[in-house]
Amino acid sequence: MTGKPDLLSLNALAVARGGVPVLEGVSFNLSAGDLLILRGPNGIGKTTLLRTIAGLQAPLAGRVSCVPEAIAYAAHADGLKSTLTVAENLRFWAAIHGTAGIDAALEGMNLTALAGRMAANLSAGQKRRLGLARLLVTGRPVWALDEPTVSLDRASVALFGRAVAAHLAQGGAAVIATHVDLGLDDAQVLDLAPFRAFSPAEGGRSTAFEGDFGGAFL
Amino acid sequence: MIALLLRDLRLSVRSGGGFGLGLAFFLLVATLVPFGVGAEAAVLSRIASGILWVGALLACLLSLDRIFALDHEDGSLDLLATAPIPLEGVAAVKAAAHWIVTGLPLTLIAPVLGVLLSLPGAGYAPLVLSLLLGTPALSAIGTFGAALTVGVRRGGLLMSLLVLPLYVPTLIFGAEVARRGAAGLDNSTALLMLGGITAGTMALLPFASAAAIRAGLR
Amino acid sequence: MSIWEYANPKRFMQTSGALLPWVSIAAVILTVAGLVWGFFFTPDDYRQGSTVKIIYLHVPSAMMAINIWIMMLVTSIIWLVRRHHVSALAAKAAAPIGLTMTLIALVTGAFWGQPMWGTWWAWDPRLTAFLILFLFYLGYIALWEAIESPDGAADLTSILCIVGSVFALLSRYAVLFWNQGLHQGASLSMDKREHVADVFWLPLLVSIAGFVLGFVALMLLRTRTEIRSRRLRALEARERMS
């Protein structure tokens, strides 16, 4: 991991939501130990950007380059099955990612006591913790997280902050869209507002519109 | 991939509905047909294999929309798409899991329903053989239909419209195997064609399904 | 100059706009000429009487029903490979025309079949194959309607079109097999080429040409409409942003 200077780099990335360009010209590099917090008003395209980084969506323009299979993505939906126990849920994701052992992840998210409980019987905050514990079993270096602290109480936010810090200390990196202070000092903050895609008529950069479907007709 | 198969099987066992519902529907079809066409054994025995094939096909259709819809709702599908296993593999495993919880039980219960519909004695072996050979194709095609409609809200009806025309060749050859077998005729051509369809759909359709999921998640 | 230049919507709009009136006029002239010639200036068939004249509607529409699907298959592949939006929109525009052609072929077939075979419908392999084609068109159109994201819909319908083509072909042969299996050799043959003499053949050709041009005109018109509605969408999106 440390051999590569950049774990993730975005180069003049433009993304669209529902065919409408929302962000353009987003560039940054993340190397081991870096944490990037994405800020910006609702609807600016934080989720879209993170989905593009995760490879779920194709960029409109620009490039996302990273080590293959480096991204662990987590969004609003935790991907939990309510009829499986906490341990079964985690074990499944560990098996999918070919990593062994879920104990550390259970420990890290303070879920050990709940391991045998059905996910259906967890509170919203506990579910969230389980969803975040999934990140620990992926064994992937770059975390791309979309509002990870939703429905977490203050103690759990601190717990999550420590988990992120531990991940960074192990040579990982993270890009997190959140408005909550995670208690991490060395985080870089990227405000997305300046990258909002404008139409050329408004004097905006035209790159996003040229590649866009609608742009072909205008 | 085995982990995914085991998870899907465990989920369908725990949630209960999936298993029994298709079988109950199949039983209902076999019960209702005599009310519709009359209880004469001569009439019933002639159409029994065809009715059972159509019934099995419709019972298969019932549970198709659960294949991807549940995983899409809770975010698992996004996470699976970013996981190290290829989406083609996910689609193939989903089809296999669907067959194990739907196609296989339907095949096993079909002879019992054959008794209800006075299927001639010679018809049992070809019926079971044709269903055993044909239902995997139904699951593979159905998985493709489910993949096409994964992003569509309440896509169940639409999926039936897409999947049923695709079922035509499988139904024709499958029912032909059973019918000719029951009539004591040579059914080897139909059997070979049915096997060919099943082999072809199982080998190729996961690629189409994966492409459809990728497009649907975007 | 390569054909791919028409992949640019602007370019396509210019050229198709210039072409459309001429194609439309030619289509109307040829179709009317073919049908009038066929209906009123050909002798009655010695066996089938005047009912044979329905071939001037039936055969062209049946041909178009299949050819339009093939055209949709080609444009779908072009969309998936080269991502030309006009291509995907042309496929979308063609589908309802294909559906209508299939319906015309089925209905005229029923009208023809009734006096000839004494039944409106028989599970003849060819009739059945057209019924299945009709269902494929329905599913294809329904999928376009159901998906909100335009590019996503184009992707998914293209995939459906390719897979559907394979299954449609498979169904065609399966139906052939099934019917023979049922009837021990088809008793109702729809193969009419061998019965068609030159007197009937020439107006049929004119009529077919009329149908082809008619399809081209409708397809251009509908594609232009689709492009305009996309342009509207893009303008609205821009409006929302500012």
Side-chain angles (χ1 to χ4, degrees):
Chain A
M1 264 189 275
T2 44
K4 293 247 175 194
D6 285 341
L7 284 172
L8 170 72
S9 75
L10 268 60
N11 188 6
L13 195 72
V15 296
R17 182 181 52 225
V20 182
V22 286
L23 289 171
E24 59 177 337
V26 182
S27 303
F28 59 77
N29 296 313
L30 285 186
S31 47
D34 282 353
L35 169 64
L36 184 72
I37 304 285
L38 299 178
R39 292 262 158 85
N42 290 341
I44 188 77
K46 294 188 291 288
T47 299
T48 312
L49 181 62
L50 284 168
R51 284 180 70 85
T52 310
I53 291 172
L56 288 167
Q57 199 172 327
L60 209 52
R63 269 167 59 81
V64 178
S65 24
C66 66
V67 191
E69 306 200 332
I71 312 284
Y73 171 72
H76 307 285
D78 291 313
L80 302 176
K81 293 295 173 187
S82 54
T83 49
L84 297 183
T85 65
V86 169
E88 281 169 343
N89 267 307
L90 267 190
R91 218 172 281 134
F92 165 68
W93 288 112
I96 288 290
H97 286 272
T99 53
I102 58 166
D103 295 340
L106 284 173
E107 195 69 41
M109 279 295 142
N110 196 14
L111 287 164
T112 313
L114 301 170
R117 180 126 28 126
M118 287 288 175
N121 302 331
L122 296 179
S123 75
Q126 288 165 337
K127 271 188 195 154
R128 203 76 252 248
R129 261 153 54 202
L130 178 52
L132 296 173
R134 187 188 62 81
L135 292 172
L136 297 170
V137 302
T138 59
R140 291 190 162 180
V142 182
W143 290 358
L145 312 181
D146 194 358
E147 301 286 0
T149 54
V150 171
S151 63
L152 290 183
D153 59 18
R154 193 169 301 173
S156 300
V157 171
L159 188 70
F160 169 66
R162 284 199 296 280
V164 173
H167 175 66
L168 299 178
Q170 284 165 15
V175 46
I176 303 178
T178 184
H179 292 278
V180 176
D181 182 17
L182 296 173
L184 298 167
D185 301 328
D186 48 354
Q188 310 159 40
V189 175
L190 181 69
D191 189 356
L192 289 176
F195 298 102
R196 192 162 80 88
F198 290 102
S199 58
E202 297 169 286
R205 281 152 293 209
S206 58
T207 49
F209 273 92
E210 274 164 8
D212 167 45
F213 177 79
F217 300 107
L218 293 164
Chain B
M1 297 228 271
I2 292 171
L4 180 61
L5 182 66
L6 290 178
R7 182 196 73 151
D8 272 16
L9 294 181
R10 186 176 281 155
L11 282 175
S12 41
V13 171
R14 292 227 179 125
S15 64
F19 245 131
L21 226 56
L23 288 181
F25 179 83
F26 194 26
L27 174 68
L28 272 172
V29 170
T31 316
L32 288 181
V33 166
F35 294 137
V37 303
E40 286 166 65
V43 177
L44 283 178
S45 70
R46 207 150 44 82
I47 60 172
S49 51
I51 295 296
L52 289 174
W53 249 94
V54 173
L57 185 147
L58 293 176
C60 249
L61 196 67
L62 269 189
S63 50
L64 284 181
D65 59 341
R66 296 164 61 101
I67 293 182
F68 290 116
L70 296 180
D71 277 351
H72 183 56
E73 273 165 28
D74 66 17
S76 305
L77 201 55
D78 282 349
L79 301 177
L80 282 173
T82 58
I85 57 173
L87 262 184
E88 286 79 4
V90 172
V93 166
K94 289 275 177 188
H98 180 261
W99 180 73
I100 291 172
V101 299
T102 314
L104 189 60
L106 288 176
T107 306
L108 296 179
I109 205 176
V112 182
L113 301 184
V115 176
L116 289 182
L117 295 175
S118 20
L119 185 71
Y124 287 93
L127 176 70
V128 172
L129 181 65
S130 65
L131 282 173
L132 198 62
L133 206 56
T135 43
L138 297 184
S139 289
I141 297 168
T143 306
F144 171 65
L148 278 180
T149 54
V150 75
V152 181
R153 245 178 282 274
R154 279 188 271 169
L157 198 61
L158 172 67
M159 197 195 55
S160 310
L161 185 60
L162 299 180
V163 165
L164 284 177
L166 299 178
Y167 273 174
V168 169
T170 319
L171 174 64
I172 287 178
F173 289 118
E176 192 73 9
V177 170
R179 186 168 45 213
R180 292 183 77 97
L185 300 168
D186 172 40
N187 60 7
S188 55
T189 315
L191 198 62
L192 284 175
M193 291 302 292
L194 183 65
I197 288 176
T198 300
T201 51
M202 286 201 306
L204 298 176
L205 273 182
F207 292 95
S209 306
I213 295 171
R214 281 198 195 96
L217 286 182
R218 223 175 266 145
Chain C
M1 191 178 113
S2 101
I3 187 171
W4 300 117
E5 284 185 25
Y6 295 101
N8 179 341
K10 216 174 242 165
R11 174 111 212 160
F12 177 85
M13 288 302 268
Q14 284 168 2
T15 314
S16 64
L19 228 54
L20 190 55
W22 302 107
V23 178
S24 310
I25 292 168
V28 170
I29 292 174
L30 283 176
T31 310
V32 170
L35 291 183
V36 170
W37 186 0
F39 284 161
F40 301 109
F41 299 99
T42 54
D44 287 357
D45 184 74
Y46 71 99
R47 277 193 314 165
Q48 304 197 13
S50 62
T51 50
V52 74
K53 294 183 173 176
I54 207 162
I55 61 167
Y56 299 111
L57 278 173
H58 183 72
V59 172
S61 60
M63 280 179 64
M64 290 316 290
I66 296 169
N67 290 342
I68 291 173
W69 185 272
I70 294 171
M71 171 246 157
M72 281 159 55
L73 174 65
V74 172
T75 48
S76 292
I77 292 174
I78 292 174
W79 159 250
L80 285 182
V81 175
R82 297 194 64 141
R83 316 294 294 178
H84 290 320
H85 292 92
V86 173
S87 184
L89 290 182
K92 182 185 184 183
I97 311 173
L99 183 79
T100 314
M101 288 295 174
T102 318
L103 194 62
I104 294 175
L106 283 171
V107 170
T108 53
F111 285 159
W112 195 6
Q114 211 283 329
M116 287 300 104
W117 308 333
T119 170
W120 296 98
W121 179 263
W123 289 95
D124 173 86
R126 211 172 276 210
L127 290 178
T128 314
F130 268 87
L131 188 62
I132 295 169
L133 184 63
F134 186 74
L135 295 176
F136 272 110
Y137 273 120
L138 273 185
Y140 179 88
I141 296 169
L143 190 61
W144 260 112
E145 295 303 319
I147 297 163
E148 282 174 25
S149 146
D151 281 10
D155 282 341
L156 291 171
T157 50
S158 298
I159 296 169
L160 175 68
C161 188
I162 292 169
V163 173
S165 302
V166 176
F167 276 86
L169 210 63
L170 205 58
S171 302
R172 174 82 183 92
Y173 289 102
V175 161
L176 217 58
F177 176 86
W178 158 76
N179 187 291
Q180 286 172 352
L182 196 66
H183 291 301
Q184 316 294 332
S187 50
L188 304 171
S189 170
M190 290 263 298
D191 205 348
K192 50 218 160 279
R193 289 291 142 70
E194 55 200 67
H195 304 304
V196 178
D198 280 353
V199 208
F200 301 114
W201 187 241
L202 279 173
L204 186 59
L205 280 183
V206 175
S207 184
I208 290 173
F211 268 69
V212 170
L213 287 179
F215 162 68
V216 172
L218 280 173
M219 202 257 305
L220 288 179
L221 184 70
R222 290 182 52 86
T223 311
R224 286 167 64 81
T225 313
E226 292 292 339
I227 290 175
R228 286 209 176 99
S229 91
R230 274 311 173 70
R231 180 176 151 82
L232 198 64
R233 258 181 91 109
L235 284 170
E236 275 175 354
R238 192 175 276 190
E239 197 73 8
R240 269 201 308 277
M241 277 169 43
S242 48

